[in-house]
Every structure is written in C-alpha cells, then in structure tokens.
Amino acid sequence: MTKEIKYTDAFEELQQIVSDIEDGEITVDELSIKVKRAAELIKICKSKLTSTEGDVNDILKELESDA
Amino acid sequence: MAENQKIFTLKQVVSSIRKTIEERYQQLYWVKVEMHKLNRFASGHCFPELLQKEDGRIVAQISGTIWSHNYERINKRFIHLVKEPLKEDTTLLMQVKVSFHETYGMSLQIVDIDPNYALGELQRERQETLKKLTKEGLINANQHLNFPLLPKRVAVISAESSKGLSDFMNVIESNTWGYQFFTFLFPAYLQGDNASGSIIKQLDAIKRVKSHFDIVVIVRGGGGEVGLSCYNEYQLCKVIASFPLPILTGIGHATNLTVAEMVSFRNSITPTELGDFLIQAFHNFSTPVTNAIKSIKLHSKNKLTEARAQFGTSSQSFKHLTKQYLTNTNHILVQHGRKLKTEVRENLFYNRSKVLRLQEHSITSSKYRLRQEQETIERVKRNIPILYKQTLNKTAIELSQLEHSIKLMDPLNVLKRGYSITTINGKTIGENNSVELGDKITTKTSTFKLVSTITRKDND
C-alpha cells in the first residue's frame, strides 16, 4: 500500500508542478529545480504503468495460512 | 376371523383406492407449493418433495411427480420466460392431478408450473434484497469507496475456462501501451444454484489477502442468460455492497440489471467492456503524465526565452544608462573643475592682498614699537645720573647718622660723662671674675688711672 501512496503522491506533485509552471508562478531560478523534480516524478509514474506487481506465492501462502 | 368373510388381494384393495381417488379427483388443481427437492432421475422423470411451511414448521408434505416430457416442456418455458431453470427451494404455482399408483402410492402429478408466478417470485426477491440493503445503508457502500489511481492488482472471480474470463484477460494483457496488470484468479461458479455461495466464499478469501489487491472483478460471459437470479440474492449482494475493495462486475447479459450489478462499484455490460474501462483508467493516469512532459517543455522554453529577452533589454538599457550617467558625471566634474579653478584664483588673490596688507601693517607697527622702546631707553639713560646722585646723597646722610651713633657709644665718651671702669688683671669685674681681699684693682676714668688694694669686701 505504501507503493500506491507513493505514486499517487508523485502524480499529485507532478500535477502541482505542471500547474505552477503553466501559471508562470515559478522563477527562472526555481525552474531548473522544478523541472528536475518533475522528470523524477514522471519517471516514477511511467514506470508504475508498466511495472509488474504482486506475488502469486505470497498470496497463496497467506491464503493457506489463514484457512 | 369369520369363515364366510371375503378376502381381498392387496392389488384389489389398492386398485379400489385408486379407483375411488380417480373418481373423486377428476379435475386438475392449481396449488401453491414449496418445491424442496427436485429429485431428477436418470430416466428424466422428477420426483420432487412438495411441502408447505407455517412459521418454519412443515404443516403439509407430499411427493410430486413430473414426467420427463412434462419436465422438458416446463423447464424450457421457464428458461425462456424466467431466465432460470426449475429450481429447488422455491415457491411455485403448479397445476397438479391427484394420483394414486398401485406400487408408488399417493403423489401429486405435476402437469404444469406457471412461469409468470415464478417470475413474480424472483422479482419479489429482487425487490426484497434492494429494500433490505437500502434499509441497512449498504446500497451505495461499495460505490463510495475510493477508486485507485491505477487499478493494477486485480482479483478476478470467474470460471476458469469461461469465455468471459478470456475476453477480459485478452483486453488487459494485450494492450499496446505496455500497461502491466497483475491478476489472480479466484475460480467460482457464476450461475445457477451454487453461484451465490461459491462467489461469497471467494470474496471471503480475497478479503483475507486484500492488501495484495486494488480491485475485484467478477466476470462471466458466454453462459447465456440463464441462472442469473443468484445475483439478486440478498446474501451475495450484501457481501458485494459491503466489500472493502471496489468490485467491478462484467456479467454479460441483456436482461434487467441484477442487484449485485447495481450495488457493485461499477457495472460493465461485458467483460471486454470492463477490460477497456481498466485500460482507460491507465490512460487517465498516463495522459496527464505525457501532457506534463509537453507542458513543462513548452512553458520552460517560453520562460527561458522570456528571461533571455528580458536580460537582453536590461543589458541594453544598462549600457545606455551607464553611458548617460558617465556623460553626466563627466559634465558635472568639468563644471566643478572650472568652478574650483575660479574660486582658487579668487581666493589666492584675496589672500595675497591680505598678506600684503598684514606685511605693511606689521612693518609700520614694528617701527613704532622700536621708536617707543628707544624713547624709553633714552629716558632711562637720562634718569640714571640723577638717580645715582640721589642715592649717593641718601647713603651719605645715613652714614653720617651712623657715625654719630657709633661715636656716642664709644667707652671713652661714656667715661667722659663721669663713668669709670674697674678691672682686675685687665678684665672687668663680674660674677665670673671675682676679687678677693688684698687683690689690686685698676680703675680707669676719662682723665686718669687709679690702682687700689681691696681692704673690705661686702656682698650685696
């Protein structure tokens, strides 16, 4: 669940940066920092779309132990 | 037993009963019955248990018979109209003939069952379920859950080899955008009598491992329109409505929406459409990210261009202003220089004349002073001889006065006035120089010297 919070946060932070940049509320000094941060967030978000998650063995183990 | 008593065979008796019953119950009757067990045999004939309950207690019970040909006809009509086959544990309105068979005994021969009554019963059950869930506040519970930003981890409830499952998996696994889903199948019956319990069981299992999943999907397809009344059952609908994860249904049918579909987070008409919905959720996440790249690129570029232009303008105006400032300052400096020169010249002139004036003045005053001093010296010079004489005279007078005083004090002068001096051995007589009897003393006066011998001496 922590991973989900992470990409949800990343997504929201990215949206914020985009709207800040679009609104012109960022100075040239901040710009490079924000763009760098945005690049990291985009990377997190993009990898989230194509990464594999979930472990069948874990689920089976838990189902057996609880049963 | 009496001898002339008539003895019947069992067959005679049973046949008589049969004859009586057949005479008595010639017509057909419509009866409301609970069909407890269908008991269909390999022959195709069914021998259902029929009963009536009051307050949970069986108050009437009898066996029923549905001959194979009747069963086929009735079931076909049920599937067509009710979308359900004949089911056990339901209340049915059936047309029966009371029959008695020599070997099988009493039974109700079922010749027809009213599908419309069964349909009404199902509708009633559906309404009942909706009413109960509404009353319990569960009707929208699942829909009020937060849908995950990325529905990546999917618990799938479906039948292993169903077409619905393969349609669904096909959509989400072969997407051209490379979106990755994680699916885990929880196999269940999706229609008919066992469906409800089987789905509930799998939902319970998913609940235990819910941290591994974002959503649950229930997909069914290719199974026709029959046997979906389970999705109106209260127990199943309640579990779906109150489930902690969003449940998405894709049951695939054309008739009325079932309660399960109504209370689920979202209902899709088909498993394929459900798969498309999940892909769309990924798009909804991906598109803003892709747009973010474009937007950031564009706006950053604009911002930089703007800043560069601003810098250009600023540096131009800085150059211009600096030049202007330098010119101005230079001008002011020149003016100051000129002014300074004039002022220095004026000042010099003024001071020089002042010095000259002072010089003249000092020469004049020196000469005057010198003359004054000279006059003083002259005056002193003139006064010196006079002063000298005066001092000399004064000293001479003082001297003569002194001389007179000294003369007065001379012992001779004293003697002249009648006094005498007595001495012994040249010394005056006093306490320290006493005289004894017989000593010779000398007495001197102003005119002579007398020598005497002491004959008497009296002390004072």
Side-chain angles (χ1 to χ4, degrees), chain B residues 286-413:
Chain B
S286 169
T287 310
V289 173
T290 315
N291 287 346
I293 300 171
K294 281 187 204 151
S295 175
I296 289 171
K297 258 187 193 163
L298 177 73
H299 283 88
S300 302
K301 207 172 157 189
N302 286 352
K303 188 93 195 170
L304 285 175
T305 313
E306 195 183 298
R308 204 171 288 137
Q310 233 167 32
F311 178 71
T313 318
S314 296
S315 70
Q316 276 295 327
S317 77
F318 176 73
K319 211 165 149 187
H320 178 70
L321 284 171
T322 315
K323 217 168 173 181
Q324 207 169 43
Y325 180 76
L326 277 174
T327 314
N328 285 350
T329 313
N330 200 27
H331 184 67
I332 290 165
L333 269 176
V334 169
Q335 272 182 338
H336 277 302
R338 270 191 212 134
K339 207 172 158 192
L340 190 67
K341 220 163 152 185
T342 318
E343 273 175 5
V344 166
R345 201 181 284 151
E346 277 171 5
N347 222 325
L348 263 176
F349 181 75
Y350 170 75
N351 280 324
R352 195 178 290 151
S353 63
K354 202 173 166 187
V355 165
L356 279 175
R357 243 183 359 260
L358 274 173
Q359 211 173 18
E360 274 166 26
H361 179 74
S362 76
I363 289 170
T364 318
S365 67
S366 305
K367 272 181 183 164
Y368 172 73
R369 191 77 191 270
L370 205 64
R371 208 162 49 239
Q372 264 188 337
E373 292 298 316
Q374 272 173 347
E375 273 170 17
T376 308
I377 289 167
E378 284 303 313
R379 208 168 47 246
V380 169
K381 220 159 108 187
R382 271 198 308 275
N383 283 343
I384 283 173
I386 299 161
L387 261 175
Y388 174 71
K389 259 179 203 165
Q390 277 176 350
T391 309
L392 217 63
N393 286 345
K394 201 180 162 192
T395 311
I397 290 164
E398 279 171 358
L399 271 175
S400 70
Q401 275 173 350
L402 264 174
E403 198 178 22
H404 180 69
S405 300
I406 288 164
K407 262 179 196 164
L408 280 179
M409 279 189 295
D410 190 322
L412 285 177
N413 286 331

Side-chain angles (χ1 to χ4, degrees), chain A residues 1 4 7-8 11 15 18 21-22 26 28 35 38 42 45 48-51 53-54 56 59-60 62-63 66, chain B residues 148 150 152-153 178-180 182 184 205 208-209 212-213 282 285-286 288 292-293 295-296 299-300 303 307:
Chain A
M1 276 327 230
E4 185 184 351
Y7 80 72
T8 308
F11 186 76
Q15 298 287 80
V18 171
I21 292 179
E22 282 175 353
I26 283 179
V28 177
V35 170
I42 287 166
C45 291
K48 202 71 204 173
L49 289 165
T50 53
S51 68
E53 263 166 46
V56 177
I59 294 167
L60 287 174
E62 276 183 44
L63 280 173
D66 285 356
Chain B
L150 279 182
K152 275 185 84 70
R153 304 170 304 164
Y179 299 154
Q180 280 285 345
F182 168 76
F184 192 99
R208 291 205 303 272
V209 291
H212 293 278
F213 296 105
F282 271 60
F285 181 83
S286 169
I293 300 171
S295 175
I296 289 171
H299 283 88
S300 302
K303 188 93 195 170

Side-chain angles (χ1 to χ4, degrees), chain B residues 2-210:
Chain B
E3 269 183 28
N4 54 353
Q5 192 76 29
K6 194 178 177 188
I7 295 176
F8 299 100
T9 63
L10 179 64
K11 195 184 168 193
Q12 283 173 321
V13 175
V14 172
S15 294
S16 166
I17 295 172
R18 177 179 168 175
K19 203 178 158 199
T20 312
I21 286 175
E22 272 176 1
E23 274 167 14
R24 172 68 184 81
Y25 299 104
Q26 283 186 351
Q27 60 180 118
L28 299 172
Y29 305 95
W30 282 103
V31 189
K32 200 169 90 179
V33 191
E34 277 180 51
M35 187 171 78
H36 180 53
K37 278 242 168 70
L38 186 58
N39 289 331
R40 188 161 187 230
F41 282 64
S43 60
H45 306 310
C46 306
F47 302 96
E49 282 176 24
L50 307 176
L51 39 95
Q52 182 183 344
K53 284 182 192 164
E54 272 176 12
D55 302 324
R57 272 179 56 241
I58 295 165
V59 291
Q61 183 170 12
I62 195 164
S63 298
T65 313
I66 313 175
W67 301 121
S68 181
H69 66 278
N70 279 336
Y71 175 80
E72 296 296 342
R73 177 176 50 82
I74 292 166
N75 205 37
K76 211 170 157 187
R77 274 180 67 212
F78 257 73
I79 288 169
H80 178 69
L81 267 166
V82 189
K83 310 296 178 195
E84 288 287 333
L86 265 182
K87 259 169 59 176
E88 298 175 345
D89 285 321
T90 47
T91 303
L92 299 165
L93 185 64
M94 44 183 68
Q95 196 176 33
V96 298
K97 186 176 191 294
V98 181
S99 78
F100 188 85
H101 188 270
E102 286 83 345
T103 52
Y104 302 121
M106 276 297 290
S107 79
L108 294 181
Q109 203 189 109
I110 299 163
V111 290
D112 199 7
I113 300 176
D114 184 2
N116 287 313
Y117 182 86
L119 196 62
E121 280 294 292
L122 284 179
Q123 287 294 343
R124 203 185 47 76
E125 187 188 16
R126 184 175 183 274
Q127 291 306 321
E128 197 66 25
T129 302
L130 280 172
K131 215 165 109 187
K132 266 176 157 171
L133 291 176
T134 308
K135 202 173 156 192
E136 288 165 346
L138 289 173
I139 197 98
N140 294 317
N142 200 257
Q143 285 145 20
H144 285 159
L145 294 174
N146 286 326
F147 196 71
L149 202 52
L150 279 182
K152 275 185 84 70
R153 304 170 304 164
V154 187
V156 183
I157 293 180
S158 192
E160 245 159 315
S161 57
S162 83
K163 187 171 180 296
L165 178 63
S166 68
D167 284 352
F168 174 74
M169 293 306 288
N170 195 34
V171 172
I172 66 165
E173 279 184 347
S174 63
N175 73 80
T176 52
W177 299 275
Y179 299 154
Q180 280 285 345
F181 290 85
F182 168 76
T183 57
F184 192 99
L185 179 67
F186 292 84
Y189 297 110
L190 293 164
Q191 62 202 64
D193 291 344
N194 298 321
S196 176
S198 151
I199 295 171
I200 289 172
K201 198 179 140 210
Q202 292 297 39
L203 283 173
D204 283 344
I206 294 168
K207 210 173 188 172
R208 291 205 303 272
V209 291
K210 69 179 193 316

